[in-house]
Structures are given as C-alpha cells and as structure tokens.
Amino acid sequence: MRVPLAVTTSARPKPQLRAQAEAASRQWGVPLFMRHPKEGISEWLEERADALLIFGHDGVTLWDREGHHGFHGGMAHLRRLRLATGEPDTFVRVTELRKGDAVLDCTLGLAQDALVASLAVGPQGRVVGVEKSLPLAALAAEGLKRYELGPDSCHIDVVHADAHAYLRTLPARSFDVVVFDPMFAKPRKAQPGFDVLRRFADHAPLTPEALQEARRVTRRWVVVKGARYSDDLKKLGLKPEPSSRHTDVDWGRIGPAEVG
C-alpha cells in the first residue's frame, strides 16, 4: 500500500544515521524503509511512497517524484547574519519582536521566518512553528535538530497540526506575536526549495475565523503576509504596512481581540 511519507537513509549509512532515521520513523508515525547497498529510491517513489525523508551524511532531504530539497538556512541564514550586525529586517520590524517574546508561526513551511524570530527573541524567548503538512513538518523538525542556532537564539518547537485547530487549544494571550504566511495563489519568484514547499504545503487561504482565533491568542500583534497587487490582505480587513516599493509582498497586522 502506498504511503504519504516514509523515512530512509542514504546508501551504506553509519549506525548514527540509521538510529536517527529509526527515531524519526517512530516520532512521525511513518514507515522506515531500509536501503540495501546501491539501492535507489526511484522505484519506491513510484510504487511505495509519495515522499521520502532521507537522512544522509549531508543532512536531511525531502524527496518526491518531481525533485528534492535539503533542509538549510537559505535566505534566513543571511537575514540572521544581517540582524546580528544591527541591520533592519522587515519581518522583525512589522512584528516588533523583542528579546524574550513568545512567537507562534502558524505556517512554518521551511522555517525561514521562524529561524529569524529565534534570533530576534533571543535565548530567553520562545518560537513555536505549526505546519499542517506532515512531510514539511518532519523536514523542518529533523532539519532544525541539525541546524546550529547558536547561543543567541532560542529553540524552535515544531507542531504538526492544522493551525486553526491548534489555536483553539491555546489559552488567551499566550503568545506575544502570531504570524501567518499563507501560500500565495499565484507562484512568485523565490529561493530554491520553494517548488517543494508549494507541492506539499496547504493551499487553503487564511480564514477570518482563524484570524479572529489568533487575535484571541496574541498579546501584541497578529501579522499576515500577502502578495502585493492582490486582495489577500483586504479580504481579511487588513491594510498593508509601509514597505519598500521593490518588494512583491505586503505585511498586514492587527492587534488582540477583546476576550470576554
């Protein structure tokens, strides 16, 4: 029977890699496919699994029949370097992140904004990333275990869940900032790996009900990213924050709702 996701290793894995794959299989509740020497994965992707999370000597990689993407810092790595030297970051500016803040990223994806947030809030802060797609949640969680955040950043917790459902389980005012970066209806130019993100991500738009739930949970801001020259933010009653005319995205934000 074909499964949505399975775990395996590179060919001829060392015991440590095999142990990591076994642990991931248990954590995510997916099958473990052990490879024989020189055995490829193309047949598995044709017949046994929609996607494979592969533990290799160079990190963790998500494969499907159309391509693959290994977890890495990407542009977030450069943003973190700039932030550390005092350069501004649009995401940090709009969210008004401070040291010690608690941040809930409701659309974790490849964890780009979460990586920046972990540095912005510092080691005393908290970052939780929610991802509805099991392959993306597993890739981000396993990749983050191997990413060197450094002493100036907090740990990033990954939750595999529907964001709206997860928000309903949280107490009021339990996070300083709640973030949404919904998948844009029209693809836009992006860094490598975004094609993988689009294939696996949840494409459902952010609903007013989920936004209202986020306003119950936040203490300061709910921040939403939208495509420029679209009505993404307008549909939610949000106005774009001032930003560079050269960017193709807008950020909207709204404060907490009254809690009865």
Side-chain angles (χ1 to χ4, degrees):
M1 184 177 69
R2 191 179 183 87
V3 297
L5 178 68
V7 172
T8 189
T9 66
S10 56
R12 300 182 183 278
K14 293 183 178 179
Q16 182 181 5
L17 276 183
R18 180 169 184 143
Q20 291 172 0
E22 291 172 346
S25 173
R26 291 191 297 269
Q27 177 177 349
W28 302 103
V30 298
L32 174 66
F33 295 169
M34 295 310 302
R35 292 172 71 176
H36 301 296
K38 298 183 180 180
E39 184 177 18
I41 62 171
S42 57
E43 185 176 335
W44 289 354
L45 289 172
E46 289 294 333
E47 300 177 1
R48 299 180 63 185
D50 295 332
L52 290 170
L53 190 68
I54 300 181
F55 287 76
H57 306 292
D58 56 349
V60 185
T61 306
L62 180 64
W63 283 75
D64 68 2
R65 284 175 289 182
E66 297 184 47
H68 64 278
H69 179 70
F71 184 89
H72 54 76
M75 283 300 297
H77 178 71
L78 296 178
R79 290 169 61 194
R80 284 168 57 88
L81 290 176
R82 293 168 182 161
L83 190 63
T85 61
E87 291 189 39
D89 182 270
T90 301
F91 170 74
V92 175
R93 174 181 62 81
V94 174
T95 52
E96 296 183 1
L97 291 183
R98 308 162 189 169
K99 298 299 182 183
D101 274 353
V103 181
L104 178 64
D105 184 345
C106 287
T107 46
L108 180 65
L110 299 176
Q112 296 291 285
D113 288 331
L115 282 167
V116 175
S118 73
L119 177 60
V121 304
Q124 302 304 314
R126 181 185 179 211
V127 176
V128 177
V130 180
E131 177 52 56
K132 186 175 182 179
S133 164
L134 176 59
L136 291 178
L139 175 65
E142 299 301 327
L144 285 167
K145 290 177 183 177
R146 294 152 185 80
Y147 187 89
E148 293 292 335
L149 286 167
D152 295 333
S153 301
C154 70
H155 176 74
I156 300 171
D157 294 311
V158 178
V159 177
H160 172 228
D162 173 79
H164 191 182
Y166 184 74
L167 283 163
R168 289 197 293 264
T169 70
L170 297 175
R173 307 291 183 261
S174 50
F175 283 86
D176 294 289
V177 177
V178 179
V179 180
F180 291 95
D181 181 5
M183 188 62 58
F184 295 166
K186 295 182 178 180
R188 59 189 177 90
K189 185 177 179 181
Q191 59 180 296
F194 196 76
D195 287 343
V196 174
L197 177 62
R198 286 196 68 87
R199 289 199 297 274
F200 287 102
D202 177 27
H203 288 256
L206 175 60
T207 65
E209 293 78 14
L211 180 64
Q212 189 65 16
E213 201 66 46
R215 294 184 65 197
R216 180 187 65 81
V217 168
T218 193
R219 291 189 282 263
R220 187 184 312 142
W221 294 115
V222 178
V223 175
V224 183
K225 184 187 286 188
R228 181 161 285 189
Y229 310 118
S230 76
D231 58 358
D232 292 345
L233 299 181
K234 184 178 180 181
K235 288 178 180 177
L236 297 166
L238 303 177
K239 294 182 178 179
E241 292 294 307
S243 62
S244 168
R245 62 187 177 88
H246 301 294
T247 183
D248 59 354
V249 301
D250 281 324
W251 291 92
R253 67 183 187 181
I254 190 169
E258 294 185 6
V259 179

